[in-house]
Amino acid sequence: MAVAWWQILLLTLYAGYQILDELQVYTGLAQPVFAGLVAGLIMGDITTGLIIGGSMQLTVLGVGTFGGSSRIDANSGTVLATAFSVGIGMEPEQAIAAIAVPVASLMIQMDILGRFANTFFAHRIDAKIEDMDYKGIERNYLMGALSWSLSRAVPVFLALSFGGNFVNSIVNVLNNQLQWLGDGLSVAGAVLPAVGFAILLRYLPVKKHMPYLILGFVITALLTTVFTNIRTLGDTMTGVAEGFTNTFTSMPMLAIAMIGFALAFKEYKRTSEAPKAAVHSASELGEGEIDDDEI
């Protein structure tokens, strides 16, 4: 299955939009998991898109940027990995390690180029402000956004248009002559989400909130075990009794996530109300006191 021209066009437009969403629009679609969803929807395989997007989301979960620093572009990596994985039949785990992560790292250079171009238009806006040229301010503002968009759209377009045969040849080599390397990349792609969790735990106050971490792990392990056994029992009953057609499903991760959200919200309210209570107590203690300059 080759990538059609209309798929290349839609993926290019999304690649250009996602950076603007991250910087200006803020709809939440500029995340790897949504990039995988959109790319999978366009390519006709949402499952593969969500696997790649979710894995990249977990990989960069603990990575943040501060000030003007650049970071890997996991969204563009997800788009290309999903397109090539579906288009040429590449395993998702292999596509993550062989395409998504390298592309995301290489896109740091395009991020720097976009920043350089945006600085040029920012200086032009400063000059237009001195001249009170409001139309010029608006025009250069939009051109600055265009430079950001092109910094993602152009590489994705070129990779999808001219990189298919090259990627296909690489996949053939990995699956035949270098099968050991292909298997290693698949294992590495499956391990990358754990690296993201490790980075996140490195920066989170784990020691301070260790009871919540242990509680969440235990609840997840217990519920997974219980509902997995129930599902196994239901599948066994289906095979034994002909009239038994119902199947038990495991507990959705959304329910487990809601439990974690409830605990996190409770902790947030406790920590946010503590400073207010301290200020209120201090104000009550200060009432009726006479300062030295009032004597």
Side-chain angles (χ1 to χ4, degrees):
M1 174 184 174
V3 183
W5 66 268
W6 61 270
Q7 293 173 323
I8 295 176
L9 178 61
L10 292 178
L11 292 174
T12 301
L13 291 175
Y14 172 75
Y17 165 78
Q18 55 91 11
I19 185 61
L20 299 181
D21 184 276
E22 181 178 344
L23 298 174
Q24 299 174 345
V25 186
Y26 303 116
T27 64
L29 295 178
Q31 298 294 331
V33 64
F34 285 107
L37 174 63
V38 174
L41 185 63
I42 294 173
M43 294 301 300
D45 191 345
I46 298 179
T47 301
T48 299
L50 288 176
I51 291 174
I52 296 176
S55 298
M56 289 299 293
Q57 184 77 62
L58 295 176
T59 302
V60 299
L61 193 63
V63 178
T65 56
F66 306 94
S69 59
S70 297
R71 62 173 174 82
I72 63 174
D73 187 2
N75 297 337
S76 299
T78 299
V79 170
L80 290 178
T82 302
F84 287 130
S85 178
V86 178
I88 62 180
M90 193 176 187
E91 291 294 330
E93 293 80 7
Q94 196 176 86
I96 294 169
I99 298 178
V101 175
V103 168
S105 301
L106 290 174
M107 288 296 288
I108 294 178
Q109 310 304 324
M110 298 305 300
D111 183 76
I112 296 174
L113 180 60
R115 292 177 187 273
F116 271 123
N118 195 48
T119 303
F120 170 77
F121 292 113
H123 287 304
R124 287 178 60 88
I125 291 175
D126 292 335
K128 298 299 180 181
I129 292 175
E130 296 293 336
D131 299 334
M132 297 295 179
D133 185 0
Y134 295 105
K135 293 295 183 181
I137 295 172
E138 295 175 354
R139 182 171 59 253
N140 283 277
Y141 175 80
L142 293 176
M143 293 179 68
L146 181 62
S147 67
W148 274 110
S149 181
L150 290 177
S151 68
R152 268 65 176 180
V154 171
V156 169
F157 174 78
L158 294 176
L160 291 175
S161 300
F162 304 106
N165 294 330
F166 176 70
V167 174
N168 197 9
S169 62
I170 292 178
V171 174
N172 290 332
V173 172
L174 291 176
N175 291 334
N176 295 289
Q177 292 89 339
L178 298 177
Q179 185 176 359
W180 60 271
L181 181 59
D183 295 339
L185 290 175
S186 299
V187 174
V191 172
L192 283 175
V195 177
F197 270 112
I199 298 174
L200 180 63
L201 293 175
R202 174 66 177 80
Y203 290 99
L204 287 177
V206 176
K207 294 181 180 179
K208 181 180 178 181
H209 302 289
M210 182 61 72
Y212 291 102
L213 180 65
I214 297 174
L215 181 62
F217 176 80
V218 172
I219 291 176
T220 303
L222 289 177
L223 293 180
T224 301
T225 303
V226 170
F227 283 92
T228 300
N229 293 335
I230 294 177
R231 184 175 182 177
T232 303
L233 178 62
D235 294 339
T236 304
M237 290 291 295
T238 303
V240 173
E242 297 181 357
F244 187 81
T245 57
N246 295 327
T247 58
F248 294 96
T249 58
S250 59
M251 184 177 184
M253 289 301 297
L254 179 60
I256 300 177
M258 292 302 296
I259 295 175
F261 174 78
L263 295 174
F265 184 72
K266 180 180 179 182
E267 178 66 16
Y268 168 76
K269 289 193 65 177
R270 186 185 69 81
T271 55
S272 61
E273 292 175 356
K276 297 179 181 179
V279 172
H280 182 68
S281 300
S283 62
E284 290 180 350
L285 292 174
E287 292 181 357
E289 296 183 356
I290 301 176
D291 296 335
D292 293 338
D293 58 354
E294 294 180 356
I295 300 178

